[in-house]
């Protein structure tokens, strides 16, 4: 199950009067992967919060398969940079936390399936503090997947992890996506990650946050890290990011 997600002319002004997002229009087709890159503070997390229904646009709207998103819904999952696991619940308890409305047997079945999907079947009874960073983020992913979302939003999900764990989880995310075909929106500040994972990269400019460029990554999967075509795509995204940040391109910055 997967759905189209669209930002339609979204503007966000916070209560303090600051204009954080201005006229953002962006769409991702069902079962596609969109990456959003942009400098710190340009409004990426704000955009995802609105996509998830946690916060409302000041103007414009977010739609999931045509229906306006006005409140958090099981159809849209959200994973943050930090795993945000409840320390007083086991991994199983955390993953099953939102499923109290189900019978215990079905809840257990779904939690077990989600844990198996993320490779944590043997850690179900562990406590969050006993997990490595990568395992904790896998648990957060399982908690999002257990609701069977049609779209999954990921806010810099791997940026707190070391490079090897990060690469491992990127590949794992692609495997999950190939299986579930959930629509994915991934916020990252890692250009390599964006071009490795995404079908399209949206580059944001700041103050106010807006879409500065959209770059299609038409490279068939499985992709090879550091292949020439991926490198070329990364250079295009980095150049667009430089332009958005209004700074000189890397080669002239360093002489
Ligand atoms: N609730 C809020 N009230 C006022 N300003 C906010 C609020 N939340 C975020 N901001 C501001 O909006 C801007 C964008 O924040 P954020 O979406 O977190 O950026 P990013 O995720 O791209 O780093 C920042 O300048 C931040 O300080
Ligand atoms: Mg953020």
């Amino acid at each position: 199950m997967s759905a189209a997600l669209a930002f339609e002319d979204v503007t966000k002004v916070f209560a303090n009067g600051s204009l954080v997002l201005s006229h953002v229009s962006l769409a991702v087709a069902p079962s596609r992967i969109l990456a959003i890159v942009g400098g710190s503070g340009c409004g990426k997390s704000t955009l995802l919060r609105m996509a998830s229904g946690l916060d409302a646009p000041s103007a414009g709207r977010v739609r999931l398969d045509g229906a306006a998103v006005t409140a958090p819904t099981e159809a849209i999952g959200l994973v943050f940079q930090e795993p945000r696991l409840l320390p007083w619940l086991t991994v199983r308890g955390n993953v099953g936390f939102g499923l109290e409305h189900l019978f215990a047997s079905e809840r257990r079945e779904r939690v077990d399936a989600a844990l198996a999907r993320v490779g944590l079947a043997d850690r179900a009874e562990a406590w969050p503090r006993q997990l490595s960073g990568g395992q904790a983020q896998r648990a957060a992913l399982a908690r999002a997947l257990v609701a069977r979302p049609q779209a999954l939003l990921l806010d810099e999900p791997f940026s707190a992890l070391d490079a090897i764990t990060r690469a491992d989880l990127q590949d794992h995310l692609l495997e999950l996506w190939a299986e579930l075909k959930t629509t994915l929106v991934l916020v990252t500040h890692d250009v390599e990650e964006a071009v490795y994972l995404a079908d399209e990269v949206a580059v944001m400019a700041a103050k106010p946050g807006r879409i500065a460029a959209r770059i299609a990554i038409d490279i068939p999967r499985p992709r090879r890290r550091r292949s020439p075509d991926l490198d070329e795509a990364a250079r295009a995204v980095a150049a667009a990011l430089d332009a958005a940040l209004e700074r000189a391109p890397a080669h002239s910055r360093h002489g």
Side-chain angles (χ1 to χ4, degrees), residues 40-41 43-46 81 155-156 187:
S40 172
K44 303 181 297 297
S45 294
T46 302
Q81 180 176 347
D155 194 354
E156 307 202 33
V187 162

Side-chain angles (χ1 to χ4, degrees), residues 14 16 18 20 39-47 156:
F14 278 113
N16 63 3
S18 70
V20 168
S40 172
C42 72
K44 303 181 297 297
S45 294
T46 302
L47 201 56
E156 307 202 33

Side-chain angles (χ1 to χ4, degrees), residues 44 49 133 158 222:
K44 303 181 297 297
R49 285 177 58 81
F158 311 136

Side-chain angles (χ1 to χ4, degrees), residues 9 30 68 78 86-87 116 147 205:
D9 205 18
L78 181 56
L86 300 170

